[in-house]
Amino acid sequence: MVTIVVGGQWGDEGKGKVISYLCMKDEPDIIARAGVGPNAGHTVVYRGKKYPLRLTPSGFLYEKAKLLIGAGVLVNPEVMLKEIRDLGIENRIGIDYRCGIIEEEHIARDKGSGHLAGKIGSTGTGCGPANMDRANRSLKLAQDIAELKPYLTDVPQEVNEAIDAGKKVLVESSQGFGLSLFYGTYPYVTSKDTTASMACVDVGIGPRRVRDVIVVFKSFPTRVGAGPFPTEMSQEEAERLGIVEYGTVTGRRRRIGRFDFDMARYAAMLNSASQIALTCVDYIDEESRGARSYDELSKAAQSFVEEVERRVGVPVTIISTGPELEDTIDLREEKLGI
Ligand code: GTP
Ligand code: IMP
Ligand code: MG
Protein backbone atom coordinates (compact mmCIF):
# COMPACT_ATOMS: atom_id res chain seq x y z
CA MET A 1 0.00 0.00 0.00
CA VAL A 2 1.66 3.20 -1.16
CA THR A 3 0.91 6.77 -0.15
CA ILE A 4 2.76 9.62 -1.85
CA VAL A 5 3.05 13.08 -0.30
CA VAL A 6 3.93 15.99 -2.61
CA GLY A 7 3.94 19.79 -2.47
CA GLY A 8 1.24 21.67 -4.39
CA GLN A 9 2.72 25.20 -4.48
CA TRP A 10 6.33 26.47 -4.47
CA GLY A 11 7.77 24.17 -1.83
CA ASP A 12 7.90 24.77 1.93
CA GLU A 13 4.21 23.90 2.23
CA GLY A 14 4.97 22.04 5.44
CA LYS A 15 5.51 18.59 3.95
CA GLY A 16 8.00 17.79 6.72
CA LYS A 17 5.37 18.46 9.36
CA VAL A 18 2.60 16.54 7.57
CA ILE A 19 4.82 13.55 6.77
CA SER A 20 6.14 13.27 10.31
CA TYR A 21 2.57 13.33 11.63
CA LEU A 22 1.44 10.67 9.12
CA CYS A 23 4.38 8.41 9.95
CA MET A 24 3.86 8.56 13.72
CA LYS A 25 0.16 7.85 13.20
CA ASP A 26 0.23 5.26 10.42
CA GLU A 27 3.52 3.49 11.25
CA PRO A 28 4.71 2.72 7.70
CA ASP A 29 7.26 -0.06 7.22
CA ILE A 30 9.20 2.01 4.69
CA ILE A 31 9.56 5.77 4.28
CA ALA A 32 11.19 6.54 0.95
CA ARG A 33 12.50 9.97 0.01
CA ALA A 34 11.83 11.19 -3.53
CA GLY A 35 12.36 14.70 -4.93
CA VAL A 36 15.33 16.66 -6.19
CA GLY A 37 17.92 16.55 -3.39
CA PRO A 38 19.42 18.64 -0.58
CA ASN A 39 17.94 21.86 -1.99
CA ALA A 40 15.00 20.86 0.22
CA GLY A 41 14.66 21.82 3.85
CA HIS A 42 11.96 19.92 5.65
CA THR A 43 11.19 21.07 9.19
CA VAL A 44 9.98 18.59 11.75
CA VAL A 45 9.03 19.87 15.20
CA TYR A 46 8.33 17.26 17.86
CA ARG A 47 7.76 18.03 21.53
CA GLY A 48 9.55 21.34 21.29
CA LYS A 49 12.60 20.04 19.43
CA LYS A 50 13.21 21.19 15.87
CA TYR A 51 14.82 18.96 13.24
CA PRO A 52 15.75 20.68 9.97
CA LEU A 53 16.27 17.91 7.41
CA ARG A 54 17.71 18.10 3.92
CA LEU A 55 17.91 14.47 2.82
CA THR A 56 16.65 12.23 5.60
CA PRO A 57 13.00 11.20 5.24
CA SER A 58 10.86 13.40 7.52
CA GLY A 59 9.17 10.35 8.99
CA PHE A 60 12.41 9.27 10.75
CA LEU A 61 10.81 9.88 14.17
CA TYR A 62 8.91 6.64 13.73
CA GLU A 63 11.77 4.42 14.75
CA LYS A 64 10.63 1.12 13.28
CA ALA A 65 10.55 2.39 9.71
CA LYS A 66 13.24 1.60 7.19
CA LEU A 67 14.38 4.89 5.63
CA LEU A 68 15.30 4.88 1.94
CA ILE A 69 16.66 7.44 -0.51
CA GLY A 70 15.48 6.80 -4.08
CA ALA A 71 17.80 6.79 -7.09
CA GLY A 72 16.26 9.99 -8.44
CA VAL A 73 17.38 11.98 -5.41
CA LEU A 74 20.73 13.77 -5.53
CA VAL A 75 22.94 13.11 -2.53
CA ASN A 76 25.54 15.43 -1.07
CA PRO A 77 27.61 12.89 0.91
CA GLU A 78 28.69 15.42 3.51
CA VAL A 79 25.10 16.50 4.24
CA MET A 80 23.83 12.91 4.20
CA LEU A 81 26.54 11.50 6.47
CA LYS A 82 26.09 14.32 8.97
CA GLU A 83 22.35 13.73 9.19
CA ILE A 84 22.88 9.96 9.57
CA ARG A 85 25.28 10.60 12.47
CA ASP A 86 23.26 13.36 14.14
CA LEU A 87 19.99 11.45 14.00
CA GLY A 88 21.49 8.05 14.82
CA ILE A 89 19.83 6.29 11.89
CA GLU A 90 22.88 4.24 10.76
CA ASN A 91 21.05 0.94 11.13
CA ARG A 92 17.94 1.72 9.16
CA ILE A 93 18.91 4.02 6.29
CA GLY A 94 19.42 2.77 2.75
CA ILE A 95 20.66 4.83 -0.18
CA ASP A 96 20.11 3.63 -3.73
CA TYR A 97 23.47 2.88 -5.34
CA ARG A 98 22.37 4.91 -8.39
CA CYS A 99 21.77 8.23 -6.57
CA GLY A 100 23.66 11.08 -8.25
CA ILE A 101 26.39 12.74 -6.21
CA ILE A 102 26.76 16.48 -5.61
CA GLU A 103 30.37 17.65 -5.33
CA GLU A 104 31.93 21.01 -4.41
CA GLU A 105 32.24 21.84 -8.07
CA HIS A 106 28.45 21.62 -8.55
CA ILE A 107 27.89 23.99 -5.66
CA ALA A 108 30.42 26.45 -7.11
CA ARG A 109 28.70 26.28 -10.51
CA ASP A 110 25.31 26.90 -8.87
CA LYS A 111 26.40 30.02 -6.97
CA GLY A 112 27.50 33.50 -8.00
CA SER A 113 26.30 35.97 -10.60
CA GLY A 114 25.57 34.59 -14.04
CA HIS A 115 25.01 31.20 -12.44
CA LEU A 116 21.67 29.72 -11.44
CA ALA A 117 21.68 31.37 -8.00
CA GLY A 118 22.00 34.80 -9.61
CA LYS A 119 19.74 34.10 -12.57
CA ILE A 120 16.73 32.44 -10.97
CA GLY A 121 17.56 32.48 -7.26
CA SER A 122 18.39 28.79 -6.94
CA THR A 123 19.25 27.42 -3.51
CA GLY A 124 22.94 27.23 -4.46
CA THR A 125 23.13 23.64 -3.23
CA GLY A 126 24.49 22.27 -6.51
CA CYS A 127 21.35 20.40 -7.52
CA GLY A 128 20.85 22.11 -10.91
CA PRO A 129 24.45 21.57 -12.14
CA ALA A 130 24.44 17.97 -10.82
CA ASN A 131 21.28 17.16 -12.78
CA MET A 132 22.90 18.78 -15.84
CA ASP A 133 25.85 16.41 -15.42
CA ARG A 134 23.52 13.50 -14.96
CA ALA A 135 21.88 14.29 -18.30
CA ASN A 136 25.36 14.75 -19.75
CA ARG A 137 26.23 11.24 -18.49
CA SER A 138 29.20 12.54 -16.51
CA LEU A 139 27.92 12.48 -12.92
CA LYS A 140 29.36 10.28 -10.17
CA LEU A 141 26.93 7.91 -8.50
CA ALA A 142 26.60 6.82 -4.87
CA GLN A 143 28.29 3.51 -5.72
CA ASP A 144 31.47 5.48 -6.50
CA ILE A 145 31.71 6.97 -2.99
CA ALA A 146 33.53 4.83 -0.40
CA GLU A 147 31.91 6.50 2.66
CA LEU A 148 28.42 5.63 1.39
CA LYS A 149 29.18 1.92 0.82
CA PRO A 150 27.69 0.73 4.17
CA TYR A 151 24.32 2.20 3.25
CA LEU A 152 23.96 1.27 -0.41
CA THR A 153 20.92 -0.71 -1.49
CA ASP A 154 18.51 -1.36 -4.34
CA VAL A 155 15.58 0.86 -3.35
CA PRO A 156 13.06 -0.33 -6.00
CA GLN A 157 13.71 -3.93 -4.94
CA GLU A 158 13.07 -3.13 -1.28
CA VAL A 159 10.02 -0.99 -1.95
CA ASN A 160 8.34 -3.37 -4.40
CA GLU A 161 8.96 -6.40 -2.16
CA ALA A 162 7.42 -4.54 0.76
CA ILE A 163 4.35 -3.66 -1.33
CA ASP A 164 4.01 -7.29 -2.44
CA ALA A 165 4.14 -8.39 1.19
CA GLY A 166 1.23 -6.04 1.99
CA LYS A 167 3.39 -3.60 3.94
CA LYS A 168 2.86 0.16 4.15
CA VAL A 169 5.13 2.46 2.17
CA LEU A 170 5.12 6.24 2.39
CA VAL A 171 6.89 8.12 -0.39
CA GLU A 172 7.80 11.71 0.42
CA SER A 173 8.71 14.21 -2.21
CA SER A 174 10.25 17.66 -1.92
CA GLN A 175 9.76 21.06 -3.54
CA GLY A 176 6.32 21.81 -5.02
CA PHE A 177 4.18 21.81 -8.13
CA GLY A 178 5.03 25.40 -9.17
CA LEU A 179 8.73 24.45 -9.22
CA SER A 180 8.29 21.56 -11.67
CA LEU A 181 10.71 21.74 -14.58
CA PHE A 182 7.86 20.85 -16.95
CA TYR A 183 4.71 22.29 -15.36
CA GLY A 184 6.00 25.06 -13.12
CA THR A 185 6.82 28.71 -13.78
CA TYR A 186 9.71 28.01 -16.16
CA PRO A 187 12.52 29.13 -16.16
CA TYR A 188 12.03 29.90 -12.45
CA VAL A 189 11.83 26.25 -11.50
CA THR A 190 13.95 23.45 -10.10
CA SER A 191 15.92 20.96 -12.21
CA LYS A 192 13.29 18.18 -12.32
CA ASP A 193 9.58 17.49 -12.34
CA THR A 194 8.01 17.58 -8.88
CA THR A 195 4.72 15.71 -9.32
CA ALA A 196 3.68 12.35 -7.83
CA SER A 197 4.57 10.59 -11.10
CA MET A 198 8.16 11.77 -10.73
CA ALA A 199 8.16 10.60 -7.11
CA CYS A 200 7.26 7.11 -8.41
CA VAL A 201 10.20 7.23 -10.80
CA ASP A 202 12.51 8.48 -8.05
CA VAL A 203 11.91 5.46 -5.84
CA GLY A 204 11.28 2.92 -8.61
CA ILE A 205 7.59 2.07 -8.45
CA GLY A 206 5.09 1.88 -11.30
CA PRO A 207 1.94 4.04 -11.42
CA ARG A 208 -0.38 1.11 -10.62
CA ARG A 209 1.25 0.71 -7.21
CA VAL A 210 -0.10 3.89 -5.65
CA ARG A 211 -3.24 4.09 -3.51
CA ASP A 212 -3.16 7.65 -2.23
CA VAL A 213 -1.63 10.92 -3.32
CA ILE A 214 -1.73 13.60 -0.65
CA VAL A 215 -1.00 17.07 -1.96
CA VAL A 216 0.11 19.56 0.67
CA PHE A 217 -1.08 23.15 0.33
CA LYS A 218 -0.30 26.05 2.57
CA SER A 219 -3.18 28.40 3.44
CA PHE A 220 -0.93 31.32 2.53
CA PRO A 221 1.55 30.01 -0.07
CA THR A 222 5.17 31.10 -0.02
CA ARG A 223 7.91 31.33 -2.60
CA VAL A 224 11.67 31.79 -2.21
CA GLY A 225 13.78 33.02 -5.08
CA ALA A 226 12.64 34.79 -8.22
CA GLY A 227 9.68 34.01 -10.45
CA PRO A 228 6.00 34.74 -10.96
CA PHE A 229 3.66 34.65 -7.98
CA PRO A 230 0.23 35.87 -9.14
CA THR A 231 -1.36 36.06 -5.68
CA GLU A 232 1.67 37.60 -3.91
CA MET A 233 1.00 40.22 -1.24
CA SER A 234 3.30 43.00 -0.10
CA GLN A 235 5.69 42.39 2.79
CA GLU A 236 3.79 44.97 4.83
CA GLU A 237 0.51 43.17 4.30
CA ALA A 238 2.06 39.83 5.25
CA GLU A 239 3.50 41.42 8.39
CA ARG A 240 0.10 42.83 9.27
CA LEU A 241 -1.23 39.27 9.09
CA GLY A 242 1.68 38.17 11.28
CA ILE A 243 3.28 35.99 8.58
CA VAL A 244 7.07 36.14 8.36
CA GLU A 245 9.03 33.07 7.22
CA TYR A 246 12.64 32.35 6.40
CA GLY A 247 14.01 29.47 4.29
CA THR A 248 15.43 26.46 6.13
CA VAL A 249 18.34 25.95 3.72
CA THR A 250 19.15 29.43 2.49
CA GLY A 251 17.84 31.66 5.29
CA ARG A 252 16.17 33.83 2.64
CA ARG A 253 12.94 35.58 3.50
CA ARG A 254 9.98 33.85 1.89
CA ARG A 255 7.56 35.78 -0.30
CA ILE A 256 3.95 35.34 0.87
CA GLY A 257 0.70 35.23 -1.06
CA ARG A 258 -2.98 34.42 -0.89
CA PHE A 259 -4.29 30.96 -1.68
CA ASP A 260 -4.48 30.44 -5.45
CA PHE A 261 -7.48 28.19 -6.10
CA ASP A 262 -6.84 27.86 -9.86
CA MET A 263 -3.26 26.77 -9.33
CA ALA A 264 -4.29 24.35 -6.59
CA ARG A 265 -6.93 22.78 -8.81
CA TYR A 266 -4.40 22.34 -11.61
CA ALA A 267 -1.80 20.89 -9.23
CA ALA A 268 -4.38 18.45 -7.86
CA MET A 269 -5.20 17.34 -11.41
CA LEU A 270 -1.59 16.69 -12.45
CA ASN A 271 -0.89 14.84 -9.22
CA SER A 272 -4.14 12.81 -9.32
CA ALA A 273 -4.62 13.97 -5.74
CA SER A 274 -6.86 11.82 -3.58
CA GLN A 275 -6.46 13.97 -0.44
CA ILE A 276 -5.36 17.45 0.53
CA ALA A 277 -3.32 18.32 3.59
CA LEU A 278 -3.86 22.00 4.37
CA THR A 279 -1.19 23.62 6.53
CA CYS A 280 -0.80 26.92 8.34
CA VAL A 281 -4.54 27.23 8.91
CA ASP A 282 -3.53 29.04 12.11
CA TYR A 283 -2.39 31.95 9.93
CA ILE A 284 -6.08 32.72 9.40
CA ASP A 285 -6.68 33.75 12.99
CA GLU A 286 -5.43 33.41 16.56
CA GLU A 287 -8.42 31.27 17.55
CA SER A 288 -7.40 28.40 15.26
CA ARG A 289 -3.80 28.22 16.48
CA GLY A 290 -2.99 24.76 17.79
CA ALA A 291 -6.53 23.43 17.19
CA ARG A 292 -6.65 19.65 17.32
CA SER A 293 -10.27 19.07 16.38
CA TYR A 294 -12.42 20.54 13.65
CA ASP A 295 -14.74 22.12 16.22
CA GLU A 296 -11.83 24.05 17.74
CA LEU A 297 -11.27 25.89 14.44
CA SER A 298 -12.80 29.34 14.09
CA LYS A 299 -15.76 29.76 11.75
CA ALA A 300 -13.50 31.65 9.32
CA ALA A 301 -10.99 28.78 9.26
CA GLN A 302 -13.74 26.20 8.80
CA SER A 303 -15.23 28.08 5.89
CA PHE A 304 -11.77 28.41 4.28
CA VAL A 305 -11.24 24.65 4.57
CA GLU A 306 -14.64 24.06 2.99
CA GLU A 307 -13.91 26.51 0.20
CA VAL A 308 -10.61 24.75 -0.60
CA GLU A 309 -12.35 21.41 -0.70
CA ARG A 310 -15.15 22.69 -2.93
CA ARG A 311 -13.05 24.72 -5.37
CA VAL A 312 -10.16 22.28 -5.68
CA GLY A 313 -12.50 19.30 -5.77
CA VAL A 314 -10.51 17.03 -3.43
CA PRO A 315 -11.25 16.25 0.24
CA VAL A 316 -9.20 18.10 2.85
CA THR A 317 -8.33 15.27 5.22
CA ILE A 318 -5.39 16.68 7.18
CA ILE A 319 -5.42 20.18 8.68
CA SER A 320 -2.30 21.59 10.29
CA THR A 321 -2.65 24.36 12.86
CA GLY A 322 0.95 24.78 14.04
CA PRO A 323 4.51 23.55 13.45
CA GLU A 324 4.28 20.89 16.20
CA LEU A 325 3.52 17.42 14.96
CA GLU A 326 0.56 17.18 17.30
CA ASP A 327 -1.09 20.40 16.09
CA THR A 328 -3.01 18.40 13.52
CA ILE A 329 -6.63 17.62 12.74
CA ASP A 330 -6.98 14.25 11.05
CA LEU A 331 -10.27 13.80 9.22
CA ARG A 332 -9.31 10.72 7.22
CA GLU A 333 -11.49 8.32 9.13
CA GLU A 334 -14.47 10.64 9.14
CA LYS A 335 -14.25 11.58 5.46
CA LEU A 336 -12.78 8.50 3.79
CA GLY A 337 -13.23 5.75 6.31
CA ILE A 338 -9.48 5.03 6.40
P1 GTP B 1 10.58 21.68 1.27
O1 GTP B 1 10.86 20.22 1.21
O2 GTP B 1 11.82 22.52 1.34
O3 GTP B 1 9.66 22.13 0.20
O4 GTP B 1 9.91 22.03 2.71
P2 GTP B 1 8.63 21.62 3.58
O5 GTP B 1 7.42 21.48 2.71
O6 GTP B 1 8.94 20.44 4.43
O7 GTP B 1 8.40 22.91 4.48
P3 GTP B 1 9.41 23.70 5.43
O8 GTP B 1 9.62 22.86 6.63
O9 GTP B 1 10.58 24.20 4.71
O10 GTP B 1 8.55 25.00 5.76
C1 GTP B 1 7.36 25.00 6.43
C2 GTP B 1 7.48 25.88 7.69
O11 GTP B 1 6.20 26.03 8.28
C3 GTP B 1 8.34 25.24 8.77
O12 GTP B 1 8.96 26.25 9.50
C4 GTP B 1 7.33 24.48 9.62
O13 GTP B 1 7.77 24.27 10.94
C5 GTP B 1 6.16 25.42 9.57
N1 GTP B 1 4.82 24.80 9.62
C6 GTP B 1 4.39 23.62 9.10
N2 GTP B 1 3.07 23.47 9.30
C7 GTP B 1 2.65 24.59 9.96
C8 GTP B 1 1.39 25.05 10.43
O14 GTP B 1 0.36 24.41 10.27
N3 GTP B 1 1.37 26.27 11.05
C9 GTP B 1 2.48 27.02 11.22
N4 GTP B 1 2.34 28.18 11.83
N5 GTP B 1 3.67 26.63 10.77
C10 GTP B 1 3.77 25.43 10.16
P1 IMP C 1 17.28 24.83 -7.21
O1 IMP C 1 16.35 23.68 -7.01
O2 IMP C 1 18.25 25.00 -6.09
O3 IMP C 1 17.94 24.79 -8.56
O4 IMP C 1 16.41 26.17 -7.19
C1 IMP C 1 15.48 26.47 -8.20
C2 IMP C 1 14.26 27.18 -7.64
O5 IMP C 1 13.55 26.28 -6.80
C3 IMP C 1 14.56 28.39 -6.75
O6 IMP C 1 13.52 29.33 -6.90
C4 IMP C 1 14.53 27.83 -5.34
O7 IMP C 1 14.24 28.80 -4.38
C5 IMP C 1 13.43 26.81 -5.48
N1 IMP C 1 13.53 25.68 -4.53
C6 IMP C 1 14.27 24.55 -4.69
N2 IMP C 1 14.09 23.73 -3.65
C7 IMP C 1 13.21 24.33 -2.83
C8 IMP C 1 12.60 23.95 -1.59
O8 IMP C 1 12.83 22.88 -1.04
N3 IMP C 1 11.72 24.84 -1.05
C9 IMP C 1 11.42 26.01 -1.65
N4 IMP C 1 11.97 26.40 -2.82
C10 IMP C 1 12.84 25.57 -3.39
MG1 MG D 1 11.57 23.78 2.89
Side-chain angles (χ1 to χ4, degrees):
M1 201 181 85
V2 177
T3 300
I4 301 185
V5 181
V6 293
Q9 290 147 333
W10 283 283
D12 307 326
E13 298 91 351
K15 294 178 291 296
K17 145 80 199 254
V18 168
I19 294 158
S20 57
Y21 168 79
L22 291 173
C23 292
M24 292 302 262
K25 184 84 205 283
D26 299 351
E27 308 189 337
D29 301 279
I30 291 183
I31 309 167
R33 169 78 148 79
V36 180
N39 47 354
H42 287 313
T43 315
V44 174
V45 186
Y46 186 50
R47 308 213 159 134
K49 192 163 160 39
K50 195 165 166 175
Y51 305 88
L53 309 168
R54 293 179 59 192
L55 281 166
T56 302
S58 311
F60 80 96
L61 286 172
Y62 173 56
E63 290 179 353
K64 290 191 191 142
K66 180 88 199 261
L67 308 172
L68 298 174
I69 313 285
V73 181
L74 293 164
V75 170
N76 177 328
E78 207 180 306
V79 172
M80 185 79 254
L81 292 164
K82 184 171 184 324
E83 287 187 0
I84 292 175
R85 266 195 317 272
D86 290 353
L87 301 169
I89 52 170
E90 290 88 349
N91 298 326
R92 55 191 183 108
I93 183 120
I95 301 167
D96 195 278
Y97 62 95
R98 294 154 288 200
C99 287
I101 293 297
I102 297 176
E103 297 181 280
E104 272 310 311
E105 172 236 348
H106 298 112
I107 295 171
R109 274 161 60 196
D110 204 359
K111 286 181 176 164
S113 61
H115 298 284
L116 283 165
K119 233 164 33 192
I120 63 150
S122 79
T123 58
T125 53
C127 291
N131 273 336
M132 288 182 216
D133 284 1
R134 180 116 199 185
N136 198 32
R137 268 59 55 100
S138 58
L139 189 68
K140 264 192 203 146
L141 301 185
Q143 63 189 4
D144 305 320
I145 308 296
E147 293 85 344
L148 296 179
K149 284 258 150 63
Y151 310 111
L152 296 186
T153 188
D154 184 325
V155 168
Q157 196 72 44
E158 289 204 36
V159 170
N160 284 281
E161 275 173 14
I163 301 168
D164 289 340
K167 294 182 174 172
K168 284 190 207 167
V169 176
L170 187 133
V171 177
E172 59 167 272
S173 195
S174 61
Q175 288 73 43
F177 179 74
L179 294 171
S180 163
L181 180 62
F182 299 144
Y183 302 110
T185 48
Y186 186 86
Y188 299 97
V189 293
T190 189
S191 49
K192 219 171 81 176
D193 177 48
T194 53
T195 64
S197 309
M198 189 74 233
C200 286
V201 175
D202 287 339
V203 302
I205 54 177
R208 289 196 299 134
R209 291 298 213 173
V210 182
R211 189 187 74 168
D212 265 307
V213 177
I214 304 180
V215 179
V216 184
F217 293 115
K218 220 172 190 174
S219 303
F220 289 86
T222 56
R223 175 160 206 168
V224 279
F229 191 173
T231 60
E232 184 169 13
M233 61 176 82
S234 67
Q235 260 191 18
E236 296 72 46
E237 194 181 351
E239 276 165 21
R240 269 202 301 280
L241 291 169
I243 311 175
V244 180
E245 286 191 21
Y246 292 90
T248 338
V249 177
T250 56
R252 290 180 294 185
R253 186 156 173 174
R254 292 176 179 160
R255 299 157 64 194
I256 318 265
R258 297 198 174 274
F259 197 88
D260 186 335
F261 290 93
D262 294 333
M263 178 185 179
R265 197 178 165 78
Y266 198 70
M269 177 174 80
L270 270 89
N271 279 295
S272 66
S274 58
Q275 301 178 47
I276 290 173
L278 192 60
T279 64
C280 298
V281 170
D282 51 303
Y283 282 169
I284 294 170
D285 51 39
E286 187 82 34
E287 200 183 325
S288 305
R289 190 160 304 160
R292 294 183 184 183
S293 74
Y294 197 72
D295 294 339
E296 285 175 50
L297 289 177
S298 68
K299 284 278 166 284
Q302 288 184 355
S303 70
F304 176 67
V305 171
E306 283 158 25
E307 187 180 6
V308 169
E309 189 161 290
R310 183 170 44 80
R311 291 179 63 182
V312 180
V314 175
V316 175
T317 53
I318 303 282
I319 298 167
S320 173
T321 58
E324 267 283 346
L325 198 141
E326 282 149 334
D327 293 338
T328 306
I329 304 168
D330 188 342
L331 303 171
R332 290 178 297 168
E333 204 177 324
E334 186 183 318
K335 289 197 178 172
L336 305 174
I338 52 171

